Amino acid sequence: MINQLKEWSACWSDVKDDVVISRFISMWKLYLLSFCLVSAFDVSFCLPVALGQQHPRLKVVSPAADSSLVADTVAYFRGKADPTGTLFLNGEEVPVYGTGVFAAPMYLRTGVNEFLVQHVVDADTLHKRIVVMYEKPAPLQPTAGFSIEYARVLPAGDIWLQTGDLLQVEMKSTPGMVASFYKDVPLFEMDTADTHVAGIYRGEYTIQPSDTLADLPIPFYLHDGATEKNVMAESRQRITILNQSHVLTGLTTAGQVPLYYGLGADRLGGAKMGELDSLVKLEVTGKMNDMYRVRLADQVQAYIPVNRLRLQKGAHFRPYSLTGSWSVYSDSTADFVRIGLNERLPYTHLVQHEPTRIVLDIYGAVSNSNWITQKEGLVAIRNVWYEQHSKSIFRVYIELKEKQLWGYEVGYQGNQLVIRVKPQPETLDLRGLTVAVDAGHGGSNRGAVGMTGVLEKDLNLAMALKLKAALERAGSTVIMTRDRDQSVNNGHRLKRFQRQDPDLLISIHCNSAGNPMVQGVSTYYRYHAYRPLSQHILTEMRQLDLADFGNVGGFNFTLNSPTEFPSVLVEVGFLSNPADEERLLDRQFHGDVAERIVDGVKGFLREVNGG
């Protein structure tokens, strides 16, 4: 195929006829497209073809039909058009980008909304009429007749509770009745100002030692005082009361087991307190569907996935240990703190600033540490000490020599809790640093898709390869998660980086939103100690005239989760936005992105160095 292209190129100077030239160009484009299809790994070669593709005269993608019914006050006019023309929506010009993509909001009033679309190319005008009917969502209706529409326990799912817990319930049924649940516990009808419909009843009950529910539903009752009618329903959820004579315990099944603050979640999961090593002992005090509730200390609880904790059989004591002696030493690559315990207890940790120090809470531990041996030659740690924060929380302080944290990890070796702290690199320059670069998505995981059909996975790889080259020119050693189109699980990416222990991690992605008008660059971090890197990169990326979508902290992305090295997720722009998509398709822009990220890392290093 390549030889054929060369042969055709050599013939170009001999071609004179306009028809032949036109045919030659068409065949040349066809060969280029075919080459891209069979050489999908060469992303940088294929991307420019998307910019030169044939554009439809006008293709409206949204609204999907010429007449549609919606329940939102705003719809979006989106699609592709010949960019040589001018596009109007009800007389207002809609920008059409070089890619042919366009987007504009359609603000709706209740009822019928008519939009006239005009696409003008030279002296020819194409007309199109779009009708959008906006109807407000139908209000909730009270339960008809005398009945119970639903009865449920909150939160949803099968639940384990213990003495002192609140059993909270809700029922929707005929308004104005007498309602109760379980042991004739009264239910109270809520104000319609709060529920927007009459007939919502709620109540709660404190579990007593005498309660003996075992995998049973909760009964609900409705009584009509005027007619003396009664109706009963049961919850679909089943309740178990933990009233055994000993505590219920379990062991974590593997490393990196997440501890969650609560039951809230989004598409990336719930907010995490931290992660635990394997075989850590936890006291189980309840279950909410697929999460165990665990007790860490008095007034401190957390949640852990059911499939990450193996319940222990028989009677086991509550997690507890006296602390032993400590040792603090260095092996020249990192500093270590070792704390002896009798069993693997749960822990959480965070980083404080001014001064910079790691604070570690060990739950169920009581001090018996009568000496702490600190060896000479420590490279990262200035000092360590502890306090018995409460009767069951042993708090460890590890003060660092440098303001910037470069990474640490916590885990068990036997029953010794070991904290490994990385020192600051010998030279604060890209030359000599090891930087991990992650090209998001890949293989069967396409990521977002632009209106042009371009795939996020391909753009991520193209920009990541440019970044790799720019970092290597600056003297860095670069580790890549992928250098071609392949599927790589995020968990595997993370484990690989943790094994290879880079100095920094940069993950490249493109953003997407349901609203095509949202645009801009953003950077993300999980831990406050690593925010400066994300700030410097965002500042540099903004020099590319990208809108500011923000610097986002506490972000629950897998590759932001490790404490072992500073990390940043860069969402370069929104593939769902026509202006951003046009920039993202530009190969020169990929090089500019790489250079700006490198400049951001350099700025971060200068700040760390006091510059």
Side-chain angles (χ1 to χ4, degrees), residues 62-71 75 106 108 111-113 115 130-135:
S62 175
D66 290 348
S67 297
S68 56
L69 177 66
V70 300
M106 306 168 76
L108 309 176
V112 176
N113 297 263
F115 296 90
I130 295 175
V131 177
V132 182
M133 170 78 77
Y134 166 55
E135 287 187 358

Side-chain angles (χ1 to χ4, degrees), residues 229-336:
K229 288 183 179 179
N230 295 286
V231 66
M232 190 271 283
E234 291 184 337
S235 64
R236 295 181 62 184
Q237 301 101 309
R238 308 178 80 81
I239 308 299
T240 294
I241 305 300
L242 299 177
N243 54 9
Q244 72 279 0
S245 59
H246 57 83
V247 298
L248 181 63
T249 61
L251 299 176
T252 55
T253 57
Q256 297 180 331
V257 176
L259 273 182
Y260 295 99
Y261 285 104
L263 297 172
D266 57 25
R267 67 184 182 87
L268 294 177
K272 294 178 184 177
M273 295 177 71
E275 295 180 336
L276 296 177
D277 203 346
S278 60
L279 301 178
V280 172
K281 187 177 182 181
L282 293 162
E283 178 186 353
V284 176
T285 62
K287 178 187 174 188
M288 284 70 187
N289 200 19
D290 60 351
M291 301 285 277
Y292 285 130
R293 184 182 65 194
V294 295
R295 175 190 178 275
L296 300 179
D298 293 341
Q299 308 304 316
V300 183
Q301 66 179 24
Y303 293 85
I304 187 171
V306 166
N307 62 0
R308 303 301 296 274
L309 192 72
R310 175 175 57 84
L311 297 181
Q312 293 183 285
K313 296 180 180 180
H316 293 266
F317 297 129
R318 177 172 287 162
Y320 170 82
S321 175
L322 292 173
T323 65
S325 60
W326 299 21
S327 62
V328 185
Y329 64 93
S330 177
D331 70 355
S332 76
T333 63
D335 291 352
F336 297 84

